[in-house]
Amino acid sequence: MPDRTRPAELAALTSIAAQVNCTQDLDEILAGALQTTLEVIGEDSGEIFLLDEETGDLILHTHAGLSDSFVAAEAVVPAGQCVCGRAVQSGEIALVADITAHPARSRAACLREGFHSCVRLPLLARGQVLGLLNIQSRNQREFTQADVDLLTAVGNQIGIAIANAQLIDDAERRRATLDSVMNSLVDGLILLDKRDRIVYVNPRAQEILDLPVLEGAGHTLDDLDRAIGARVARPRRTLGQLRAALADPQSTPSVELALTAPAPRTVQARFFSIHEAGGGSLGLGILIRDITREKELDEMKSQLLSTVSHELRTPLASIKGFATTLLRDDVEWDDASRREFLSIIDQESDRLGELIGNLLDMSRIEAGTLRIEPEPADLRPIIQATAAEFRMLSRAHDIEVDLPTALPAVLADPRRARQVLRNLVENAVKYSPDGGPITITARVTSGEVQTSVADRGIGIEESQLAHIFDRFYQVDSASTRKVGGSGLGLSICQAIIEAHRGKLWVESRPGLGSTFHFTLPLAR
Ligand code: ADP
């Protein structure tokens, strides 16, 4: 029986309590507590297990004075097994005075370690078992009531330490999960406290609004308004005004901000109140959504409707008009007139077909399903056939072709290459209303063939050059309005050429004409 005094016991308890207070590292606390307990109880071997809440198994966490093979065998004590398991289930301390007489699972192993007696002490906090402290004795020791009292007091301290560590762990895990959620949000989130001070800005809000760091430095909603104010093109209501409107129960606390920089984008900011469980207000949240794409799609839809209704109506009206004329019973048309009417119907049907084809292509491009089937293709016959076709269609234009003697094959979808070329030559004809030369040339550059279509037509203002490849874009001038069109041709051509990894661009001078160039890779 070791010589133990009351002050020594108190010192042990104080030491364990101090360790609990000065570190949050559970491993460190448990190792220290085991060591102190062994010292005060006068033994040299023991273990602390933690209870796995899900399985009920005991998992060895720290140990002292044990052989490696014993530790390996004791790493996990299955739920309910042995004296250990029963101590955990009952929540009561278990004393084994003579291991040799005890029918325990690990009796042989205990005897190999030289143990004679042992104590199994459940570690509790708030009435719940969290783990187990084992002390083994290699002496002929019988644990006394004084030992039990001391160990119980020590066990309570360790139990509290485990509970605290688990609480901290739990809180940290929740915080980390919350952080991951906030960082993964597709939308931006800004949180304000009750005095409108910014307490949190998630990375997405920072990115969408291109904000400086505003959280945690006493910045307020006004600072946020100032940070974006200069870049808001359409401030129907600022965030500050919106905040004020929250007091009005009828208000819809949402605003659309058209930002000009760093890139033009439309952003929707929506306010919501944050309440604590008791119902009191904690502050406000602002959800920030980048709705640029949705706005574009909306705009595209309305443009599509107006283009379709306008551009379909014109050819349809003339097809209907000439067909009705031909069907009149009261008039006898001569062959020449009938032929003329039929050829107008034919041309207008082609126009309709082309427009519908363009709309289909556009929707394929939008959906990302535009397919090209590249193969080694010879551009010479494509260029010559297109020139011949337009020579027939327009007598006012002098369509010339200028090709090198050797024009190597390109890697292209021949149908799509023809579509691009036809579109450019058609535009050249359309936008040189007074006629004149249109030249199609091709030349080999590094790894590519560059094809160019030059006209001496109306040309394009410099300010419009950046836009003519946008879908539905048409230069709004009297001369372009006269010729009609959907504004889809060039954007489709660009998508087709880019799908071939080529480039499409234009050089133009108003009044002097335009030259469109596109490249296609050589078929090597
Ligand atoms: P569309 O011809 O149906 O209007 P496009 O996408 O083919 O649509 O062309 C977009 C705009 O680019 C046209 O509306 C026109 O203003 C301008 N454009 C295209 N080609 C030429 C050209 N060769 N000369 C002058 N302007 C052109």
Side-chain angles (χ1 to χ4, degrees), residues 62-109:
T62 187
H63 56 86
L66 300 169
S67 73
D68 289 347
S69 59
F70 188 85
V71 168
E74 291 284 287
V76 176
V77 178
Q81 280 207 7
C82 191
V83 190
C84 298
R86 283 193 295 281
V88 166
Q89 278 174 348
S90 66
E92 306 269 328
I93 190 165
L95 301 174
V96 178
D98 182 5
I99 286 179
T100 47
H102 203 76
R105 179 186 70 109
S106 54
R107 187 185 54 201

Short mmCIF file of all heavy atoms in Angstrom, two decimals, residues 62-109:
data_model
loop_
_atom_site.label_atom_id
_atom_site.label_comp_id
_atom_site.label_asym_id
_atom_site.label_seq_id
_atom_site.Cartn_x
_atom_site.Cartn_y
_atom_site.Cartn_z
N THR A 62 -4.91 6.46 -24.58
CA THR A 62 -3.57 6.70 -24.03
C THR A 62 -3.26 5.57 -23.04
O THR A 62 -4.18 4.98 -22.46
CB THR A 62 -3.48 8.10 -23.39
OG1 THR A 62 -2.14 8.35 -23.01
CG2 THR A 62 -4.36 8.23 -22.16
N HIS A 63 -1.99 5.26 -22.90
CA HIS A 63 -1.65 4.15 -22.00
C HIS A 63 -0.27 4.37 -21.42
O HIS A 63 0.51 5.18 -21.92
CB HIS A 63 -1.68 2.81 -22.77
CG HIS A 63 -0.79 2.81 -23.98
ND1 HIS A 63 0.53 2.50 -23.91
CD2 HIS A 63 -1.07 3.13 -25.27
CE1 HIS A 63 1.06 2.60 -25.14
NE2 HIS A 63 0.11 3.00 -25.97
N ALA A 64 0.07 3.59 -20.34
CA ALA A 64 1.40 3.67 -19.74
C ALA A 64 1.74 2.31 -19.16
O ALA A 64 0.85 1.59 -18.69
CB ALA A 64 1.40 4.73 -18.63
N GLY A 65 3.02 1.97 -19.23
CA GLY A 65 3.52 0.75 -18.60
C GLY A 65 2.98 -0.54 -19.17
O GLY A 65 2.80 -1.51 -18.43
N LEU A 66 2.72 -0.59 -20.47
CA LEU A 66 2.17 -1.81 -21.09
C LEU A 66 3.06 -2.27 -22.24
O LEU A 66 3.68 -1.43 -22.91
CB LEU A 66 0.76 -1.55 -21.64
CG LEU A 66 -0.28 -1.09 -20.61
CD1 LEU A 66 -1.54 -0.61 -21.32
CD2 LEU A 66 -0.60 -2.23 -19.65
N SER A 67 3.09 -3.59 -22.49
CA SER A 67 3.88 -4.09 -23.62
C SER A 67 3.15 -3.78 -24.93
O SER A 67 1.93 -3.59 -24.94
CB SER A 67 4.09 -5.60 -23.49
OG SER A 67 2.86 -6.24 -23.79
N ASP A 68 3.93 -3.74 -26.02
CA ASP A 68 3.34 -3.41 -27.32
C ASP A 68 2.25 -4.41 -27.72
O ASP A 68 1.21 -4.04 -28.24
CB ASP A 68 4.42 -3.42 -28.41
CG ASP A 68 5.35 -2.23 -28.24
OD1 ASP A 68 4.97 -1.31 -27.45
OD2 ASP A 68 6.42 -2.19 -28.88
N SER A 69 2.50 -5.71 -27.40
CA SER A 69 1.53 -6.72 -27.83
C SER A 69 0.22 -6.54 -27.05
O SER A 69 -0.88 -6.69 -27.60
CB SER A 69 2.09 -8.13 -27.65
OG SER A 69 2.41 -8.31 -26.30
N PHE A 70 0.33 -6.17 -25.78
CA PHE A 70 -0.88 -5.95 -24.98
C PHE A 70 -1.67 -4.76 -25.53
O PHE A 70 -2.88 -4.83 -25.71
CB PHE A 70 -0.49 -5.70 -23.51
CG PHE A 70 -1.67 -5.65 -22.58
CD1 PHE A 70 -2.20 -6.83 -22.03
CD2 PHE A 70 -2.27 -4.44 -22.25
CE1 PHE A 70 -3.30 -6.79 -21.18
CE2 PHE A 70 -3.37 -4.41 -21.40
CZ PHE A 70 -3.89 -5.58 -20.86
N VAL A 71 -0.93 -3.68 -25.85
CA VAL A 71 -1.57 -2.47 -26.38
C VAL A 71 -2.28 -2.80 -27.70
O VAL A 71 -3.42 -2.39 -27.92
CB VAL A 71 -0.51 -1.35 -26.59
CG1 VAL A 71 -1.09 -0.21 -27.40
CG2 VAL A 71 -0.01 -0.85 -25.24
N ALA A 72 -1.58 -3.60 -28.55
CA ALA A 72 -2.17 -3.93 -29.86
C ALA A 72 -3.47 -4.71 -29.65
O ALA A 72 -4.48 -4.45 -30.32
CB ALA A 72 -1.18 -4.72 -30.70
N ALA A 73 -3.46 -5.64 -28.69
CA ALA A 73 -4.65 -6.47 -28.47
C ALA A 73 -5.79 -5.67 -27.85
O ALA A 73 -6.96 -5.99 -28.03
CB ALA A 73 -4.28 -7.65 -27.58
N GLU A 74 -5.45 -4.61 -27.12
CA GLU A 74 -6.47 -3.84 -26.40
C GLU A 74 -6.95 -2.61 -27.15
O GLU A 74 -7.73 -1.83 -26.62
CB GLU A 74 -5.87 -3.35 -25.06
CG GLU A 74 -5.62 -4.43 -24.05
CD GLU A 74 -6.90 -4.90 -23.37
OE1 GLU A 74 -7.44 -4.16 -22.55
OE2 GLU A 74 -7.36 -6.01 -23.72
N ALA A 75 -6.46 -2.42 -28.40
CA ALA A 75 -6.73 -1.16 -29.12
C ALA A 75 -8.23 -0.86 -29.18
O ALA A 75 -8.65 0.28 -29.03
CB ALA A 75 -6.15 -1.22 -30.52
N VAL A 76 -9.03 -1.91 -29.40
CA VAL A 76 -10.49 -1.72 -29.42
C VAL A 76 -11.12 -2.81 -28.55
O VAL A 76 -10.86 -3.99 -28.76
CB VAL A 76 -11.06 -1.85 -30.85
CG1 VAL A 76 -12.59 -1.73 -30.82
CG2 VAL A 76 -10.46 -0.78 -31.77
N VAL A 77 -11.89 -2.40 -27.55
CA VAL A 77 -12.62 -3.39 -26.75
C VAL A 77 -14.08 -3.33 -27.21
O VAL A 77 -14.74 -2.29 -27.04
CB VAL A 77 -12.52 -3.07 -25.24
CG1 VAL A 77 -13.33 -4.08 -24.44
CG2 VAL A 77 -11.06 -3.07 -24.81
N PRO A 78 -14.56 -4.43 -27.83
CA PRO A 78 -15.92 -4.39 -28.37
C PRO A 78 -16.97 -4.11 -27.29
O PRO A 78 -16.77 -4.48 -26.13
CB PRO A 78 -16.11 -5.79 -28.97
CG PRO A 78 -14.73 -6.31 -29.16
CD PRO A 78 -13.89 -5.70 -28.09
N ALA A 79 -18.06 -3.46 -27.72
CA ALA A 79 -19.12 -3.02 -26.80
C ALA A 79 -19.57 -4.15 -25.88
O ALA A 79 -19.79 -5.28 -26.33
CB ALA A 79 -20.32 -2.51 -27.60
N GLY A 80 -19.67 -3.86 -24.60
CA GLY A 80 -20.25 -4.79 -23.64
C GLY A 80 -19.34 -5.93 -23.22
O GLY A 80 -19.70 -6.74 -22.37
N GLN A 81 -18.15 -6.05 -23.82
CA GLN A 81 -17.30 -7.20 -23.50
C GLN A 81 -16.47 -6.97 -22.25
O GLN A 81 -16.02 -5.86 -22.00
CB GLN A 81 -16.38 -7.50 -24.68
CG GLN A 81 -17.10 -8.27 -25.76
CD GLN A 81 -16.15 -9.11 -26.57
OE1 GLN A 81 -14.97 -9.22 -26.24
NE2 GLN A 81 -16.66 -9.73 -27.61
N CYS A 82 -16.28 -8.09 -21.50
CA CYS A 82 -15.29 -8.08 -20.45
C CYS A 82 -15.72 -7.16 -19.30
O CYS A 82 -16.81 -6.58 -19.30
CB CYS A 82 -13.99 -7.63 -21.09
SG CYS A 82 -12.56 -7.82 -20.13
N VAL A 83 -14.88 -7.04 -18.32
CA VAL A 83 -15.18 -6.18 -17.16
C VAL A 83 -15.32 -4.74 -17.62
O VAL A 83 -16.15 -3.98 -17.14
CB VAL A 83 -14.02 -6.27 -16.12
CG1 VAL A 83 -14.44 -5.58 -14.83
CG2 VAL A 83 -13.64 -7.70 -15.86
N CYS A 84 -14.46 -4.38 -18.60
CA CYS A 84 -14.46 -3.00 -19.12
C CYS A 84 -15.84 -2.65 -19.65
O CYS A 84 -16.43 -1.63 -19.27
CB CYS A 84 -13.47 -2.85 -20.25
SG CYS A 84 -11.79 -3.17 -19.77
N GLY A 85 -16.35 -3.51 -20.53
CA GLY A 85 -17.64 -3.25 -21.18
C GLY A 85 -18.75 -3.15 -20.14
O GLY A 85 -19.62 -2.28 -20.22
N ARG A 86 -18.68 -4.02 -19.16
CA ARG A 86 -19.75 -4.02 -18.15
C ARG A 86 -19.69 -2.77 -17.28
O ARG A 86 -20.70 -2.20 -16.92
CB ARG A 86 -19.69 -5.29 -17.32
CG ARG A 86 -20.26 -6.50 -18.09
CD ARG A 86 -20.51 -7.69 -17.18
NE ARG A 86 -19.28 -8.23 -16.62
CZ ARG A 86 -18.44 -9.03 -17.29
NH1 ARG A 86 -18.71 -9.38 -18.53
NH2 ARG A 86 -17.37 -9.50 -16.71
N ALA A 87 -18.46 -2.32 -16.98
CA ALA A 87 -18.31 -1.08 -16.19
C ALA A 87 -18.92 0.09 -16.95
O ALA A 87 -19.60 0.95 -16.37
CB ALA A 87 -16.83 -0.82 -15.90
N VAL A 88 -18.70 0.11 -18.28
CA VAL A 88 -19.24 1.19 -19.10
C VAL A 88 -20.77 1.12 -19.09
O VAL A 88 -21.46 2.13 -18.93
CB VAL A 88 -18.69 1.10 -20.55
CG1 VAL A 88 -19.50 1.99 -21.48
CG2 VAL A 88 -17.23 1.50 -20.57
N GLN A 89 -21.30 -0.11 -19.24
CA GLN A 89 -22.77 -0.25 -19.30
C GLN A 89 -23.44 0.13 -17.99
O GLN A 89 -24.48 0.78 -17.98
CB GLN A 89 -23.14 -1.68 -19.69
CG GLN A 89 -23.05 -1.86 -21.19
CD GLN A 89 -23.26 -3.30 -21.63
OE1 GLN A 89 -23.27 -4.22 -20.82
NE2 GLN A 89 -23.42 -3.47 -22.92
N SER A 90 -22.80 -0.26 -16.85
CA SER A 90 -23.43 0.02 -15.56
C SER A 90 -23.11 1.43 -15.06
O SER A 90 -23.84 2.01 -14.26
CB SER A 90 -22.94 -0.99 -14.52
OG SER A 90 -21.55 -0.78 -14.30
N GLY A 91 -22.00 2.01 -15.56
CA GLY A 91 -21.57 3.33 -15.08
C GLY A 91 -20.97 3.24 -13.69
O GLY A 91 -20.75 4.25 -13.02
N GLU A 92 -20.69 2.01 -13.23
CA GLU A 92 -20.16 1.82 -11.87
C GLU A 92 -18.70 1.34 -11.93
O GLU A 92 -18.33 0.60 -12.84
CB GLU A 92 -20.95 0.70 -11.16
CG GLU A 92 -22.44 0.90 -11.14
CD GLU A 92 -22.88 1.66 -9.90
OE1 GLU A 92 -22.21 1.48 -8.87
OE2 GLU A 92 -23.86 2.43 -9.99
N ILE A 93 -17.94 1.73 -10.94
CA ILE A 93 -16.54 1.29 -10.87
C ILE A 93 -16.50 -0.23 -10.64
O ILE A 93 -17.35 -0.79 -9.94
CB ILE A 93 -15.79 2.05 -9.74
CG1 ILE A 93 -14.29 1.79 -9.81
CG2 ILE A 93 -16.33 1.70 -8.38
CD1 ILE A 93 -13.47 2.77 -8.98
N ALA A 94 -15.53 -0.93 -11.29
CA ALA A 94 -15.41 -2.38 -11.09
C ALA A 94 -14.01 -2.69 -10.58
O ALA A 94 -13.04 -2.19 -11.12
CB ALA A 94 -15.68 -3.10 -12.42
N LEU A 95 -13.96 -3.48 -9.52
CA LEU A 95 -12.67 -3.85 -8.94
C LEU A 95 -12.45 -5.34 -9.16
O LEU A 95 -13.37 -6.14 -8.93
CB LEU A 95 -12.66 -3.59 -7.43
CG LEU A 95 -12.92 -2.15 -6.97
CD1 LEU A 95 -13.03 -2.10 -5.45
CD2 LEU A 95 -11.78 -1.26 -7.44
N VAL A 96 -11.28 -5.72 -9.63
CA VAL A 96 -10.96 -7.15 -9.74
C VAL A 96 -9.76 -7.40 -8.83
O VAL A 96 -8.65 -6.92 -9.11
CB VAL A 96 -10.64 -7.54 -11.20
CG1 VAL A 96 -10.26 -9.01 -11.29
CG2 VAL A 96 -11.82 -7.23 -12.09
N ALA A 97 -10.01 -8.12 -7.74
CA ALA A 97 -8.96 -8.30 -6.73
C ALA A 97 -7.93 -9.34 -7.16
O ALA A 97 -6.75 -9.22 -6.88
CB ALA A 97 -9.59 -8.69 -5.40
N ASP A 98 -8.40 -10.37 -7.90
CA ASP A 98 -7.48 -11.43 -8.32
C ASP A 98 -7.78 -11.84 -9.76
O ASP A 98 -8.76 -12.54 -10.04
CB ASP A 98 -7.67 -12.64 -7.38
CG ASP A 98 -6.71 -13.77 -7.74
OD1 ASP A 98 -5.87 -13.55 -8.66
OD2 ASP A 98 -6.82 -14.84 -7.13
N ILE A 99 -6.92 -11.37 -10.66
CA ILE A 99 -7.18 -11.60 -12.08
C ILE A 99 -7.14 -13.09 -12.42
O ILE A 99 -7.90 -13.56 -13.27
CB ILE A 99 -6.17 -10.80 -12.93
CG1 ILE A 99 -6.56 -9.32 -12.88
CG2 ILE A 99 -6.14 -11.27 -14.39
CD1 ILE A 99 -5.67 -8.39 -13.63
N THR A 100 -6.32 -13.87 -11.72
CA THR A 100 -6.22 -15.31 -12.04
C THR A 100 -7.56 -16.01 -11.92
O THR A 100 -7.87 -16.93 -12.67
CB THR A 100 -5.21 -16.02 -11.10
OG1 THR A 100 -5.52 -15.63 -9.77
CG2 THR A 100 -3.80 -15.69 -11.45
N ALA A 101 -8.39 -15.51 -10.98
CA ALA A 101 -9.68 -16.17 -10.76
C ALA A 101 -10.78 -15.57 -11.62
O ALA A 101 -11.93 -15.95 -11.51
CB ALA A 101 -10.04 -16.05 -9.28
N HIS A 102 -10.40 -14.61 -12.45
CA HIS A 102 -11.44 -13.88 -13.16
C HIS A 102 -11.62 -14.38 -14.59
O HIS A 102 -10.65 -14.48 -15.33
CB HIS A 102 -11.05 -12.40 -13.17
CG HIS A 102 -12.25 -11.55 -13.36
ND1 HIS A 102 -13.15 -11.29 -12.35
CD2 HIS A 102 -12.71 -10.91 -14.45
CE1 HIS A 102 -14.11 -10.53 -12.81
NE2 HIS A 102 -13.86 -10.29 -14.09
N PRO A 103 -12.85 -14.75 -14.97
CA PRO A 103 -13.05 -15.33 -16.32
C PRO A 103 -13.12 -14.25 -17.41
O PRO A 103 -14.08 -14.18 -18.14
CB PRO A 103 -14.39 -16.05 -16.17
CG PRO A 103 -15.15 -15.24 -15.17
CD PRO A 103 -14.14 -14.62 -14.25
N ALA A 104 -12.12 -13.39 -17.46
CA ALA A 104 -12.20 -12.28 -18.43
C ALA A 104 -11.56 -12.64 -19.75
O ALA A 104 -10.70 -13.52 -19.82
CB ALA A 104 -11.51 -11.06 -17.85
N ARG A 105 -11.98 -11.92 -20.80
CA ARG A 105 -11.49 -12.14 -22.16
C ARG A 105 -9.96 -12.01 -22.24
O ARG A 105 -9.27 -12.82 -22.82
CB ARG A 105 -12.14 -11.08 -23.06
CG ARG A 105 -11.76 -11.11 -24.50
CD ARG A 105 -12.39 -9.92 -25.19
NE ARG A 105 -11.73 -8.67 -24.77
CZ ARG A 105 -10.94 -7.95 -25.55
NH1 ARG A 105 -10.73 -8.31 -26.78
NH2 ARG A 105 -10.36 -6.86 -25.09
N SER A 106 -9.43 -10.99 -21.52
CA SER A 106 -8.00 -10.72 -21.65
C SER A 106 -7.21 -11.25 -20.46
O SER A 106 -6.14 -10.76 -20.16
CB SER A 106 -7.80 -9.22 -21.81
OG SER A 106 -8.43 -8.56 -20.74
N ARG A 107 -7.80 -12.25 -19.76
CA ARG A 107 -7.11 -12.72 -18.55
C ARG A 107 -5.69 -13.21 -18.86
O ARG A 107 -4.73 -12.81 -18.21
CB ARG A 107 -7.90 -13.85 -17.89
CG ARG A 107 -7.29 -14.25 -16.53
CD ARG A 107 -7.98 -15.43 -15.93
NE ARG A 107 -7.99 -16.52 -16.90
CZ ARG A 107 -8.82 -17.53 -16.86
NH1 ARG A 107 -9.72 -17.61 -15.90
NH2 ARG A 107 -8.78 -18.48 -17.76
N ALA A 108 -5.54 -14.05 -19.91
CA ALA A 108 -4.22 -14.60 -20.23
C ALA A 108 -3.23 -13.48 -20.49
O ALA A 108 -2.10 -13.49 -20.00
CB ALA A 108 -4.33 -15.52 -21.44
N ALA A 109 -3.70 -12.49 -21.29
CA ALA A 109 -2.81 -11.37 -21.63
C ALA A 109 -2.42 -10.60 -20.38
O ALA A 109 -1.27 -10.21 -20.19
CB ALA A 109 -3.50 -10.45 -22.63
#
